Amino acid sequence: MTESPNPLFEFLLRQGDNALVLGHRTSEWCGVGPALEEDIALANTALDLIGQTQLWLGYAAEVEGKNRSANDLAFMRDAYDFRNILMLEVPNEDFGRTMVRQFLFDAFQVPWLSALRQSSDQRVSEIASKSVKEAQYHLERSAETVIALGDGTPESHARMQAALNYLWPYSGEMFGNDSTDQAMHEQGIAPLPQSLHKPWMQSVSNTLAQACLAVPEDPFAHSGGRTGFRHTEHLGHMLSTMQVLQRSYPGASW
Amino acid sequence: MTESKEWPLWEIFIRGQHGMSHRHVGSLHAPDAERAIKNARDVYTRRNEGTSIWVVEASSITASSPSDKGPLYEPSRDKVYRHPSFYDIPDDAGNM
Amino acid sequence: MYSQMVKSTGKAVPTLAELSPEDRAFQKRIDRGEKIEPKEYMPDAYRKNLIRQIGQHAHSEIVGQLPEGNWITRAPTLERKANLLAKVQDEAGHGLYLYCAAETLGVSRDELYQMLHDGQMKYSSIFNYPTLTWADMGAVGWLVDGAAIMNQVPLQRTSYGPYARAMVRICKEESFHQRQGFHIMIAMAKNGTPEQFRMAQDALNRFWYPSLMMFGPSDKDSVHSAQSMAWKIKMNTNDELRQKFVDETAPQAEFLGLTIPDEKLKWNEATGHYDFSEPDWNEFYDVLNGNGPCNTERLDTRKKAWADGAWVREGMMAHAEKKALKAAKAG
């Protein structure tokens, strides 16, 4: 933990762990969605995210150069080595929180991955080019859902507002700014996440207005996920489920 | 449970390849046309089957009724000249 | 196989001469291999039987998501997780196609759900068994999907057009399911550690007889089945399909180095088939009557998902109606 991290490796873990953790949460819906059509759509989103995980963590493992694979990184690291933002690890709770989270994240991912297509690192650019198309569709679907349910019935409106209020303090972490971000910016690998905050805020506010949802005013932002300093309690439970086979039977091939 | 209104049924038509016509692939439920298109993408093009999607609310389709079968279809049955095999073309005219 | 409770009561299948003129014309169409389409004439009993069969088939797909869904979050690698999720998603898709086929017979999806939830309609007995280890993902794909394919392939020729078309699509998509399961079994039984081999054998031990039960009890004397076969909504007897399944599966188990838990199982030169033991039909009826290991949990999970989703379905519908109203005013 104390050895000085390779910034590119850190950066790649952030991308890969975001996809891994959100993909895992989304996959929890399989079989219990609110309608068959939504169940199937959520599984498509989860499948896209698992695919992105393989690409990001696969490249991270290469950059690390310790002979580990994407699967080693996904299944054999503990919580303090995970670099996903906290918002993606909190429980699904209900379809409302699931879709508001997806929307807040998608609204960041689309401009973020678009910008990464211009990365000075060719592999980053390639992964971003493939992923951004998926993210665009996720955003269309999640934004439409947020609008529909925010504007739907009094109950759906109340649930969406509650979800937004819960998630909002976790959304700020997407725009963190630390030495890894600075290093990526200096090397031309990625823009500063901060630079996306204003356009994100505009597009999110626009959609939330159509959804008749009020943007929470408190600017407080939780942090600790993308640095690995302090995750929520939820991540450990997720990992104990996700990693059970690899941990219980070390060295086995499946 | 049953008092809430069911999402309408939509018929889904997909053009699988450029140059082909849209083909009926099945149906699904959705609250409106926009969502029906998205659902169709997720349900019926999971294996990259489509390039273009049409959705039509099932209740908007007017179908010929089975008892009309005679008058509607039979007149065309004797128009064999609409079928290419009706025309006997000498082999030396080349491929047609 | 999706209406496993065999009914043997009732009168014998009527001959053509005994049928009303309409029903005779209908039966002749089926005999000629014509497809029956939604708005065309069909005897009420044909329609009712189809609703029951397609509905139970659809319910089996969506309840069938649950035992495998149980392991999606614990899949051991990213590849396995993606494969399993894609497979379980396909089952949701197949449920959707089948509900739509049933809807063409004048019953709504919500009504079918209602009948599932209040126990009027059943789903396949197999999904009331628990999935306890990762090897169960292999066994379910290999055995349960293998058994389902036996039944579904001939149903592509069933007499009801929408059902046949749904089955064509389902069979096309299912082709990878059994392979996905068998692939897991190879990794564990043939190439795995001793612990993995043990898990694989244990999964086969638990899933063998429930898989044989999927075909339902012998129905060679069932009038109900004879009528369904005359209508071409059932294409083979339960025993034919079960035998075919055993004949195909036994050599696969041998390939894996696993032992089918049946001392009587052996190749019979004279018949050209494997001899095998019947499953315990008392257990089958227990499961069908709600006393399987997971009946309560499976149904509760479905009911909870449906109840939890009500606000979503209502909210999206309400928004669509508001939007339509606005558009109408603007127009």
Side-chain angles (χ1 to χ4, degrees):
Chain A
M1 284 252 296
T2 48
E3 66 190 273
S4 76
N6 171 348
L8 178 58
F9 179 61
E10 285 286 310
F11 166 82
L12 293 171
L13 286 184
R14 288 175 181 182
Q15 314 312 312
D17 289 345
N18 278 348
L20 173 63
V21 166
L22 185 59
H24 186 95
R25 284 287 182 232
T26 311
S27 78
E28 291 173 358
W29 277 103
C30 187
V32 294
L36 271 179
E37 287 80 359
E38 296 296 328
D39 203 303
I40 292 166
L42 284 162
N44 276 340
T45 303
L47 285 168
D48 286 344
L49 291 166
I50 296 168
Q52 292 174 20
T53 306
Q54 290 172 302
L55 297 173
W56 289 119
L57 292 187
Y59 185 33
E62 279 176 46
V63 165
E64 187 194 32
K66 290 186 180 166
N67 212 18
R68 292 205 281 183
S69 64
N71 280 323
D72 293 331
L73 292 175
F75 295 96
M76 299 301 279
R77 281 178 302 150
D78 210 336
Y80 49 77
D81 280 335
F82 270 73
R83 296 292 183 265
N84 59 284
I85 57 168
L86 303 177
M87 181 171 81
L88 306 183
E89 71 197 38
V90 298
N92 291 335
E93 182 67 18
D94 65 1
F95 188 76
R97 189 194 285 177
T98 301
M99 293 313 293
V100 173
R101 163 166 61 196
Q102 187 71 46
F103 165 66
L104 295 175
F105 183 63
D106 293 339
F108 173 79
Q109 282 298 88
V110 169
W112 176 246
L113 293 169
S114 300
L116 291 185
R117 285 186 296 193
Q118 269 77 56
S119 174
S120 62
D121 183 304
Q122 202 195 329
R123 289 283 293 283
V124 169
S125 159
E126 284 166 8
I127 297 171
S129 300
K130 180 182 181 294
S131 306
V132 73
K133 291 180 204 138
E134 296 168 348
Q136 277 160 348
Y137 179 68
H138 298 169
L139 178 58
E140 274 180 43
R141 194 167 179 107
S142 63
E144 187 182 273
T145 309
V146 166
I147 292 170
L149 291 175
D151 174 57
T153 59
E155 180 180 5
S156 75
H157 174 81
R159 280 177 178 267
M160 297 304 271
Q161 187 66 56
L164 183 62
N165 294 349
Y166 175 87
L167 291 167
W168 193 255
Y170 289 105
S171 64
E173 195 184 7
M174 290 188 284
F175 308 98
N177 185 7
D178 62 11
S179 59
T180 300
D181 298 308
Q182 295 291 339
M184 291 301 98
H185 180 54
E186 280 156 24
Q187 294 171 38
I189 291 175
L192 285 174
Q194 266 188 341
S195 66
L196 298 181
H197 187 251
K198 218 180 200 172
W200 178 84
M201 195 60 199
Q202 272 168 358
S203 77
V204 165
S205 304
N206 179 28
T207 300
L208 293 178
Q210 291 180 64
C212 314
L213 295 170
V215 178
E217 280 169 13
D218 190 343
F220 174 79
H222 289 291
S223 62
R226 68 201 296 274
T227 60
F229 175 68
R230 187 165 55 214
H231 279 277
T232 68
E233 292 178 347
H234 305 292
L235 182 64
H237 291 285
M238 180 194 287
L239 296 183
S240 67
T241 301
M242 184 196 293
Q243 300 180 337
V244 63
L245 286 169
Q246 292 287 354
R247 297 288 192 179
S248 307
Y249 304 96
S253 304
W254 300 91
Chain B
M1 187 150 49
T2 41
E3 72 269 18
S4 75
K5 198 167 156 193
E6 194 166 358
W7 291 348
L9 187 69
W10 301 79
E11 298 301 332
I12 310 302
F13 300 81
I14 291 182
R15 173 160 60 211
Q17 291 167 357
H18 288 290
M20 304 292 282
S21 53
H22 285 73
R23 200 171 67 85
H24 183 243
V25 294
S27 354
L28 49 75
H29 288 272
D32 59 26
E34 287 76 20
R35 195 64 165 191
I37 286 188
K38 288 197 176 65
N39 289 348
R41 177 196 180 280
D42 279 296
V43 172
Y44 287 107
T45 69
R46 299 202 297 288
R47 289 168 171 78
N48 296 317
E49 290 100 330
T51 61
S52 163
I53 299 173
W54 288 350
V55 300
V56 184
E57 197 169 345
S59 62
S60 312
I61 292 181
T62 309
S64 59
S65 70
S67 53
D68 294 342
K69 213 173 182 177
L72 264 180
Y73 299 116
E74 267 159 24
S76 62
R77 226 177 254 170
D78 54 12
K79 293 184 176 67
V80 286
Y81 47 81
R82 288 190 184 278
H83 298 277
S85 57
F86 175 74
Y87 302 96
D88 196 8
I89 306 280
D91 287 348
D92 53 2
N95 197 15
M96 198 168 280
Chain C
M1 122 185 293
Y2 297 102
S3 35
Q4 293 169 310
M5 188 65 100
V6 173
K7 289 185 196 157
S8 299
T9 50
K11 285 177 267 177
V13 179
T15 62
L16 276 180
E18 288 165 349
L19 293 171
S20 70
E22 274 174 321
D23 288 356
R24 194 178 313 135
F26 173 82
Q27 186 61 50
K28 280 184 170 170
R29 290 189 62 198
I30 290 185
D31 294 344
R32 283 196 298 269
E34 285 180 29
K35 295 281 182 245
I36 308 302
E37 295 297 340
K39 298 261 164 89
E40 295 172 350
Y41 173 79
M42 61 184 82
D44 202 40
Y46 174 85
R47 195 180 70 85
K48 281 188 176 144
N49 265 290
L50 264 179
I51 289 176
R52 193 178 70 123
Q53 183 176 330
I54 302 173
Q56 295 190 352
H57 194 162
H59 298 330
S60 298
E61 296 284 352
I62 62 159
V63 178
Q65 288 185 272
L66 304 176
E68 288 177 286
N70 183 35
W71 279 90
I72 289 171
T73 56
R74 289 179 289 174
T77 67
L78 295 167
E79 296 75 21
R80 289 288 187 214
K81 184 157 148 163
N83 295 347
L84 183 62
L85 179 55
K87 185 196 170 218
V88 182
Q89 181 199 39
D90 273 351
E91 283 156 14
H94 299 169
L96 187 149
Y97 307 156
L98 288 162
Y99 284 120
C100 289
E103 283 179 77
T104 63
L105 292 161
V107 59
S108 75
R109 193 195 292 177
D110 281 10
E111 285 165 345
L112 290 165
Y113 274 151
Q114 181 73 56
M115 288 189 268
L116 169 68
H117 294 160
D118 65 22
Q120 280 185 64
M121 286 179 92
K122 305 276 187 206
Y123 52 89
S124 177
S125 58
I126 191 72
F127 303 118
N128 289 313
Y129 288 88
T131 54
L132 302 179
T133 73
W134 176 251
D136 290 11
M137 297 305 98
V140 168
W142 171 36
L143 302 173
V144 176
D145 287 273
I149 289 164
M150 296 275 152
N151 181 58
Q152 290 176 342
V153 167
L155 278 176
Q156 295 179 93
R157 294 179 282 112
T158 188
S159 61
Y160 189 56
Y163 192 25
R165 289 191 286 274
M167 291 317 301
V168 168
R169 200 173 179 94
I170 288 171
C171 287
K172 201 171 101 193
E173 295 186 352
E174 286 229 330
S175 55
F176 91 88
H177 291 186
Q178 194 185 11
R179 283 162 168 265
Q180 180 261 163
F182 200 63
H183 199 252
I184 291 173
M185 292 310 267
I186 292 174
M188 297 184 72
K190 254 183 120 66
N191 306 328
T193 64
E195 278 164 316
Q196 288 176 305
F197 181 87
R198 206 184 132 199
M199 277 188 244
Q201 180 63 55
D202 170 64
L204 174 58
N205 293 349
R206 282 182 287 106
F207 276 99
W208 176 252
Y209 286 108
S211 300
L212 296 186
M213 291 176 201
M214 283 176 73
F215 300 96
S218 179
D219 61 349
K220 57 184 187 303
D221 304 320
S222 159
V223 172
H224 187 261
S225 291
Q227 178 62 73
S228 289
M229 289 175 81
W231 280 334
K232 293 190 186 162
I233 59 178
K234 179 179 171 73
M235 311 302 283
N236 305 85
T237 68
N238 295 347
D239 292 318
E240 278 166 15
L241 291 172
R242 185 169 17 250
Q243 183 68 58
K244 191 162 185 273
F245 173 74
V246 174
D247 288 347
E248 282 191 16
T249 311
Q252 292 165 351
E254 198 175 324
F255 169 84
L256 292 170
L258 296 175
T259 309
I260 289 174
D262 178 2
E263 286 175 3
K264 286 195 193 146
L265 186 106
K266 71 168 196 298
W267 178 251
N268 184 329
E269 277 300 339
T271 60
H273 293 291
Y274 279 86
D275 294 337
F276 61 96
S277 303
E278 289 278 309
D280 174 359
W281 291 111
N282 289 329
E283 177 181 315
F284 172 78
Y285 289 112
D286 280 342
V287 174
L288 226 56
N289 290 329
N291 294 321
C294 300
N295 290 58
T296 309
E297 274 158 283
R298 298 288 185 248
L299 207 51
D300 284 354
T301 303
R302 281 306 321 162
K303 283 196 255 186
K304 181 173 188 304
W306 185 245
D308 287 352
W311 73 269
V312 177
R313 297 187 301 274
E314 285 160 14
M316 292 181 73
M317 196 64 234
H319 171 71
E321 281 167 348
K322 285 185 204 176
K323 215 165 61 170
L325 206 64
K326 253 185 229 163
K329 271 188 195 157

